[in-house]
Amino acid sequence: SKSKVKKKTTKTQEARKILKKKFKVNTKIVFTEDGELVQQWPPVQKSNLAQADEEEDASGINLDKAKEILREEDKFDKEEYRKKVKEKHR
């Protein structure tokens, strides 16, 4: 009589289980005592193009639109980085 040996689950198997259950992983949201949003990771896209793109339900990925959205997001990211550097120098 052979007993069943329990195999160890690999990281990829665990990741697939999480994806099947549709959990939101690697996200962090911090609220104040009043319930106001303080911090969210990953940051929400701020550009108008990204919001307009979410509303459209076109199949596939449009590379030209994606490039434009990333350029707009870079503008916001650069501004935030400049603010961080200025605070650091103060």
Side-chain angles (χ1 to χ4, degrees), residues 33-46:
E33 302 261 336
D34 302 329
E36 295 177 18
L37 181 67
V38 175
Q39 181 182 5
Q40 183 173 1
W41 181 258
V44 179
Q45 292 183 334
K46 297 176 184 176

Side-chain angles (χ1 to χ4, degrees), residues 29 38 49 68 78:
I29 300 174
V38 175
L49 290 174
E68 288 179 36
K78 287 178 184 177

Side-chain angles (χ1 to χ4, degrees), residues 23-57:
F23 287 133
K24 288 188 177 181
V25 289
N26 297 334
T27 57
K28 181 179 179 180
I29 300 174
V30 180
F31 293 97
T32 62
E33 302 261 336
D34 302 329
E36 295 177 18
L37 181 67
V38 175
Q39 181 182 5
Q40 183 173 1
W41 181 258
V44 179
Q45 292 183 334
K46 297 176 184 176
S47 67
N48 295 332
L49 290 174
Q51 294 171 356
D53 188 46
E54 288 176 3
E55 293 173 2
E56 296 177 12
D57 291 331

